[in-house]
Structures are given as structure tokens and as C-alpha cells.
Amino acid sequence: MGNLILRGCKTIAEYAFRRWMADNGFVDGYFTLEITGNEAIIRDKADNTLKLTYDSAEKSVLVEK
């Protein structure tokens, strides 16, 4: 699965966000991912959002509250 996620990723943060989405059941086609630097927003078809941040020091994705 990692190779499929990695294709087309322009940054490590984007890879981490896409990997996090896959690991947490967010399926492409149902959600969109908008990335700005180390922050991302996952949006569903009902326009609900979830904000994520990539922590490069910890190499992890955090869900914003």
C-alpha cells in the first residue's frame, strides 16, 4: 500500500497525511485533501472538515481540536 500512497506525493507531509488517511479508513473518492505546508484539511461531501498537522520533529500526524 505504501507505494500506491507515495506516488504523486510532492512532500513528506503529503505522504504522511495520505498514509494517515489510509490507516484511518478515509477512502479517496469520498474525501478531499487540501494541503498547505504542514497543515491539511480533510473534507467530506457534506462539507464537514477535519484539520491535521504534520509534526516533522515527531514524524507524526496530529488531529487539531
Side-chain angles (χ1 to χ4, degrees), residues 16-63:
F17 293 135
R18 293 193 182 282
R19 181 67 188 206
W20 184 92
M21 288 176 66
D23 290 348
N24 287 280
F26 289 87
V27 179
D28 277 345
Y30 294 99
F31 302 93
T32 59
L33 181 64
E34 303 163 17
I35 302 170
T36 305
N38 283 355
E39 295 183 347
I41 295 176
I42 299 172
R43 187 177 309 275
D44 67 13
K45 294 183 187 246
D47 209 32
N48 295 309
T49 61
L50 182 65
K51 186 175 179 184
L52 305 174
T53 301
Y54 175 67
D55 182 336
S56 59
E58 294 292 323
K59 298 187 180 3
S60 63
V61 173
L62 307 169
V63 177

